[in-house]
Amino acid sequence: MRGRQLAVAAGLLGVLCVPAHAEARDIGRDTLPANDGWAAEGAGTTGGAAADADHVYTVTDRAGLVRALDGGSATPKIIKIAGTIDADADTDDDGDRLDCADHATGGYSLKKYLAAYDPRTWGSAKPSGPQEEARQASAARQAERIVLPVGSNTTLVGLGDSAVLKGASLQVKNAENVIIRNLDLRDAYDCFPVWQPNTGGLGDWKTAYDNIWLSGATHVWVDHVTLSDKGHPDAKEPTHFARTYLRHDGLLDITGGSDLVTVSWSRFAGHDKAMLIGNSDTATGDRGKLRVTLHHNAFESVVQRAPRVRFGQVHLYNNRYDIPGDDYRYSLGVSTESRMYAENNAFHAPGHVEVADLVKSWNGSALHQSGTLFDGYPVDLLSVYNAYNSGSERDLTADVGWTPTLHGRIDSAQEADRAVARGAGAGRIP
Ligand code: CA
C-alpha cells in the first residue's frame, strides 16, 4: 500500500516538474543552415540575428509592427508577431478594421468605374479621367495602410504556433539579408483593381498586392510560412467585363533582379497565381539573377505559377502539389531563359488533369526534371510535354546548363510527399 502511494506521489511529482506545454524554442536568432539553397551562397542569410537587445520586439498590433519595421531600416532587428495582426486596421487604439469604403476617395465607386471604362463604349485605351484618378488616389490610401516595407538585416517571425498577419503586403525592396518564418500571411486584398484593356490581348483586371514581394532583394530565407487568400477567396468574386475580378496578385513574387533566395517548408494554399519569378521578358537585368531554391513546399489548390520562371536558375526539389479540381491552368511555367532544375516532386491531381497539363511554356527552352511522381507513379514531365506539344511549339531540352550544389538532403518524392504534408506551413517548425 505504502509503496503504491509513493509511486503515485512520485508520478505526480514527475508531472508537476514538467510544464504542461514545453516552452516554444526561440527561433528569433536562427540563421539559414549552411548549404540550404541559394540563400546560403557566400555569407549566407542571418537576418536580424545580430540585433542588440534594444532591437528585439514582440508586437501585437499594426502600430507596433510598423514601429518595429522602422520604415525598412537596415538596423539588425528581430520582430516577433504574437497573435493576429490585421494590417488593414486603423491606427487609433480601437483597431477597427478599415474597409474599402474607408479608403475610397475622390468620388470613386466601382459602379461608376465600370460604367466609365466598359470596353464596349470606352474601347481599348488605357483608363483615364476622373474615375481612374479617383481609383489611383483611393489605392494610394489603401497602400499606405497595408504595404509594410521590410529592410535589410531583419528577422520577422511568428511567436508560437498561431501568429497571423492578414491584409498586408510584406515588401522586401532593394534590401538584403532577410528572414521571414513561422507566419500565416493571408488575404493581401486589393480594394481597387485596375482595368488593363490590353493585358492578355483583350483586357484583364490587375491587382496590386502580393502577400510577400521581393524586388531587388538578395539573401532572403522564407521558411514555414502559410500564404493564402483566407477570408476572401477569389472564387467568390464576380466577373466584370467577362473577367474574374481578382482581389489578390501573387502569394510570393520574386522580381526586379532579386537573387539568392531559399523558400522552404511553406504552404501556398487556395490561390490563383502563386509565385512569379521574373515578371517581364524584357527585364534582361534579371539575367544571371533570380537564383531561387524551393524545397519541401506544399502547393495546394493553386491554379497557376507554382512557380512561373523567367531567367532564373531555380532549384525545385521535394515539393508537394495538390492540383485543384476547378479552373486549373498549370503548375510549372517555363518562360524566357528560365533554367528550372526540378527533382523529386510529387503531384496529386483530380481525374481530368493529365501529366501533360503540369508544365506550360512561353518562349522557354529548357527544363530539367527527374524523380517526378504523379498520383504515386513515376512520370517524365519533359518527354510528356514534348510529345503533347509536338508540332505546335518547340521542344524543351533537358539541358538547363547548371547542376545545383547548394542544397540539403534530397529525399525521394515519396518521402518528401509525406514529410511536406505533415510539416510544411506556419506553426510547424520542429
Ligand atoms: Ca505581383
Side-chain angles (χ1 to χ4, degrees), residues 279-325:
N279 63 349
S280 168
D281 291 337
T282 56
T284 49
D286 286 343
R287 224 170 247 157
K289 297 180 177 169
L290 299 176
R291 290 174 290 178
V292 179
T293 301
L294 303 172
H295 75 84
H296 294 94
N297 300 292
F299 293 93
E300 298 169 352
S301 293
V302 163
V303 173
Q304 57 186 319
R305 300 186 183 172
R308 176 178 176 180
V309 183
R310 294 178 175 95
F311 300 106
Q313 291 180 353
V314 173
H315 189 199
L316 181 81
Y317 72 89
N318 284 164
N319 300 283
R320 179 183 202 276
Y321 293 78
D322 263 307
I323 308 294

Side-chain angles (χ1 to χ4, degrees), residues 116-139:
Y117 307 115
D118 187 324
R120 293 169 302 183
T121 48
W122 175 262
S124 62
K126 199 176 159 192
S128 63
Q131 273 301 308
E132 173 57 16
E133 284 161 25
R135 190 204 62 78
Q136 287 178 18
S138 305

Side-chain angles (χ1 to χ4, degrees), residues 166-373:
K166 62 181 179 180
S169 179
L170 292 175
Q171 301 192 353
V172 186
K173 287 175 122 171
N174 305 317
E176 59 180 14
N177 195 27
V178 170
I179 295 174
I180 301 172
R181 297 179 79 201
N182 196 39
L183 265 176
D184 182 333
L185 294 161
R186 55 178 77 157
D187 194 19
Y189 185 89
D190 188 348
C191 286
F192 309 103
V194 61
W195 174 247
Q196 295 187 328
N198 296 305
T199 297
L202 293 169
D204 210 345
W205 295 98
K206 173 82 179 87
T207 46
Y209 305 115
D210 309 321
N211 300 39
I212 301 176
W213 181 23
L214 311 183
S215 176
T218 55
H219 282 111
V220 179
W221 182 31
V222 176
D223 176 70
H224 282 95
V225 300
T226 297
L227 301 154
S228 75
D229 305 337
K230 197 166 179 177
H232 289 107
D234 280 327
K236 294 222 168 115
E237 293 294 333
T239 60
H240 295 304
F241 307 158
R243 305 288 183 278
T244 306
Y245 193 61
L246 295 177
R247 294 296 194 163
H248 308 89
D249 196 29
L251 290 176
L252 169 50
D253 282 1
I254 303 173
T255 67
S258 292
D259 199 19
L260 305 174
V261 177
T262 298
V263 181
S264 51
W265 294 101
S266 291
R267 281 184 66 211
F268 298 78
H271 188 85
D272 191 324
K273 299 163 180 168
M275 183 187 284
L276 185 61
I277 300 176
N279 63 349
S280 168
D281 291 337
T282 56
T284 49
D286 286 343
R287 224 170 247 157
K289 297 180 177 169
L290 299 176
R291 290 174 290 178
V292 179
T293 301
L294 303 172
H295 75 84
H296 294 94
N297 300 292
F299 293 93
E300 298 169 352
S301 293
V302 163
V303 173
Q304 57 186 319
R305 300 186 183 172
R308 176 178 176 180
V309 183
R310 294 178 175 95
F311 300 106
Q313 291 180 353
V314 173
H315 189 199
L316 181 81
Y317 72 89
N318 284 164
N319 300 283
R320 179 183 202 276
Y321 293 78
D322 263 307
I323 308 294
D326 297 323
D327 302 328
Y328 176 64
R329 301 275 296 275
Y330 67 92
S331 295
L332 309 184
V334 181
S335 297
T336 305
E337 295 182 35
S338 74
R339 290 178 286 159
M340 201 170 351
Y341 197 103
E343 48 184 339
N344 298 11
N345 298 292
F347 294 83
H348 301 269
H352 62 279
V353 172
E354 301 170 21
V355 175
D357 300 329
L358 303 183
V359 175
K360 187 167 165 57
S361 168
W362 300 256
N363 199 26
S365 59
L367 170 68
H368 170 95
Q369 76 85 50
S370 55
T372 310
L373 283 185

Side-chain angles (χ1 to χ4, degrees), residues 108-116 131 193 205 238 240 245 247:
Y108 173 86
S109 89
L110 177 58
K111 201 176 161 194
K112 288 181 192 162
Y113 190 87
L114 293 173
Q131 273 301 308
W205 295 98
H240 295 304
Y245 193 61
R247 294 296 194 163

